[in-house]
Amino acid sequence: MSANSRLTIAAHALAWIGLYQRQGHEVATSEQIATSASTNPVVIRRLLGDLRRAGLVESRRGVGAGWSVTRDLESITLLDVYEAVEPGPLFAMHRAAPDPECVVGYGIQPAMQRIYDGIEETLRRELAHVTLEDVLRDVLAAPR
């Protein structure tokens, strides 16, 4: 199993677009963002599509096509981004129901669900306190 990087790449894309707009550019292309994130432009376009559905970015077609953020970075939290790109729960249960005749199989899902619910509540609370402006500030302050 590998860790999911959708939130990280989406935050990267939004911070990059926000900084690019501050430098006087109207829109950024998925190719430019992909170069910064070292990923395929298709990955960026898919994430930006999710962010557009959440109202965090908008796209322009035709001449001068590209993406722009719809709000100031200080008004977008990591929770906003997380909810846009992570549609399901943080943790999942078994794909097939465990054996209900087994004591562990019977009780594992309710026990784990209580734990997972607490973790997800804590995660959401923490993400709600961090804006993309905070992220960009930390990015720009990072030693090179």
Side-chain angles (χ1 to χ4, degrees), residues 3-16 37 44 47 78 81-82 85-86 127 132 135:
N4 186 332
S5 62
R6 289 175 54 81
L7 175 60
T8 301
I9 300 212
H12 183 140
L14 288 166
W16 197 95
I44 297 299
L47 283 172
L78 285 179
V81 181
Y82 174 77
V85 300
E86 296 293 348
L127 292 176
L132 282 172
V135 171

Side-chain angles (χ1 to χ4, degrees), residues 2 4 6 14 22 36 41 51 82 88 99 112 115 131 133 141:
S2 64
N4 186 332
R6 289 175 54 81
L14 288 166
R22 284 184 191 172
S36 176
L51 295 170
Y82 174 77
D99 180 0
M112 296 304 293
I115 295 165
T131 69
E133 185 66 36

Side-chain angles (χ1 to χ4, degrees), residues 9-77:
I9 300 212
H12 183 140
L14 288 166
W16 197 95
I17 296 168
L19 179 60
Y20 196 62
Q21 285 181 269
R22 284 184 191 172
Q23 294 170 340
H25 305 279
E26 289 186 34
V27 295
T29 68
S30 55
E31 288 79 11
Q32 291 170 313
I33 301 162
T35 297
S36 176
S38 293
T39 192
N40 191 299
V42 172
V43 171
I44 297 299
R45 282 192 286 275
R46 286 183 184 144
L47 283 172
L48 290 171
D50 291 338
L51 295 170
R52 179 179 48 214
R53 283 185 283 286
L56 301 178
V57 297
E58 59 189 10
S59 62
R60 181 188 300 171
R61 295 178 179 233
V63 176
W67 298 87
S68 59
V69 291
T70 58
R71 304 188 331 228
D72 291 334
L73 295 183
E74 60 203 25
S75 70
I76 302 172
T77 68

